[in-house]
Amino acid sequence: MNTRFWILILGILFLASCEDESSGDTLTCTRDYDQTALLNNYADNIIKPSYSALASELTELKAAIDKLNEDQNFPALVSARIAYIKVCTTFQHTSQFEFGPAADVALRANLNNFPPNIDAVNANIESGIFEFDTPDANLKYDKGLPVLDYFFYGISHEEFLDDLANNPNIQNYLTAIADDMLSRATQTLNGWDAYTDEFKTNIGTDAGSSLSLLINAWNENYELAKRQKLGDPAGVNSLNIIYPEGVEAAYSNISLDLLKA
């Protein structure tokens, strides 16, 4: 699978950059693959099913959080944790498609900006105000999956359940996070209903073509994985200052599983 994938990517990049060495003029490249079939397969069999799965699992997570807010006991917390991990894993299969409808709602930035800013999280709890749509919200790292990781795993379950039972702001915060993620995932999925035809017919290799969007988004996601998930915590990008707390899902200790996914 890996070999075939890289052959495909390298072949596409080669075909996308045909050039007359003597003049530097771009030439019309002969394609020996059906680009329309490729885009149809991506849209119908990969991208849309991935967003459908994400929306479905976020619906389950929302229900689990509602149940946790109602019961405030350990079995309900375990169910919420299981639903959370499922969403985290499925999200890895969508994060490389951050264009079109996903870019319109900044899906990746709103669902998975990590590590969470615990000071901002505590300030939100204290104020009871959750402004996820303000212009600077994405910079505060106070929403999405990383905050759930902190709530579900970063505090002892006894302390968390006690806080949950005695502080309605925490209950409202969990609900607001779940609602926001589900809303953005649903908007992305529904957006693809209208965007699919445009994606399938936007053939070619020019900037803005569907093939260009796919390759650029894949490369951006790869660089984020290399830099944010590995390089920053390992100190590669910060003069060898190791920052293990900066990994994805640091509290649940599933960072490596998510990287593999």
Side-chain angles (χ1 to χ4, degrees), residues 61 64 75-88 152-153:
L61 176 59
L77 174 58
V78 170
S79 295
R81 285 174 171 176
I82 292 171
Y84 157 77
I85 291 175
K86 287 175 62 179
V87 169
C88 286
F152 292 167
Y153 295 94

Side-chain angles (χ1 to χ4, degrees), residues 43-219:
D44 295 337
N45 299 323
I46 300 174
I47 298 176
K48 292 170 69 177
S50 296
Y51 283 129
S52 179
L54 181 64
S56 177
E57 291 179 4
L58 278 168
T59 300
E60 294 179 7
L61 176 59
K62 172 66 166 63
I65 286 175
D66 289 344
K67 185 68 172 174
L68 175 61
N69 282 337
E70 178 183 346
D71 292 348
Q72 301 154 14
N73 58 35
F74 186 65
L77 174 58
V78 170
S79 295
R81 285 174 171 176
I82 292 171
Y84 157 77
I85 291 175
K86 287 175 62 179
V87 169
C88 286
T89 304
T90 298
F91 174 77
Q92 309 303 316
H93 302 158
T94 68
S95 62
Q96 68 266 41
F97 304 122
E98 190 78 0
F99 56 85
D104 291 341
V105 299
L107 188 67
R108 183 170 57 208
N110 282 285
L111 262 64
N112 200 39
N113 257 354
F114 62 89
N117 183 335
I118 304 306
D119 289 338
V121 170
N122 289 330
N124 286 349
I125 295 172
E126 182 176 354
S127 68
I129 300 173
F130 319 116
E131 296 289 347
F132 293 156
D133 288 323
T134 55
D136 67 338
N138 293 339
L139 302 178
K140 289 162 55 179
Y141 292 76
D142 63 345
K143 62 189 299 187
L145 297 171
V147 176
L148 295 185
D149 194 67
Y150 168 70
F151 277 134
F152 292 167
Y153 295 94
I155 311 168
S156 71
H157 71 268
E158 296 92 348
E159 181 181 353
F160 171 66
L161 292 172
D162 183 64
D163 290 343
L164 188 66
N166 292 289
N167 192 339
N169 284 353
I170 297 179
Q171 299 178 30
N172 295 335
Y173 198 179
L174 292 175
T175 299
I177 289 172
D179 285 342
D180 183 72
M181 292 194 298
L182 178 57
S183 174
R184 293 178 193 276
T186 301
Q187 289 180 65
T188 302
L189 177 60
N190 293 340
W192 267 91
D193 289 337
Y195 180 68
T196 297
D197 287 343
E198 176 185 341
F199 176 80
K200 290 179 177 179
T201 57
N202 187 15
I203 62 174
T205 57
D206 297 336
S209 67
S210 294
L211 188 62
S212 174
L213 292 174
L214 275 172
I215 293 175
N216 288 336
W218 181 89
N219 184 64

Side-chain angles (χ1 to χ4, degrees), residues 1-79:
M1 280 295 287
N2 288 337
T3 301
R4 291 199 299 270
F5 173 78
W6 282 109
I7 289 174
L8 172 63
I9 291 297
L10 291 173
I12 290 172
L13 292 174
F14 173 76
L15 291 171
S17 58
C18 296
E19 187 176 88
D20 186 333
E21 293 183 1
S22 61
S23 66
D25 294 335
T26 300
L27 303 176
T28 300
C29 300
T30 301
R31 294 193 294 266
D32 59 356
Y33 69 98
D34 185 345
Q35 192 176 123
T36 300
L38 183 148
L39 297 178
N40 273 269
N41 182 59
Y42 259 98
D44 295 337
N45 299 323
I46 300 174
I47 298 176
K48 292 170 69 177
S50 296
Y51 283 129
S52 179
L54 181 64
S56 177
E57 291 179 4
L58 278 168
T59 300
E60 294 179 7
L61 176 59
K62 172 66 166 63
I65 286 175
D66 289 344
K67 185 68 172 174
L68 175 61
N69 282 337
E70 178 183 346
D71 292 348
Q72 301 154 14
N73 58 35
F74 186 65
L77 174 58
V78 170
S79 295

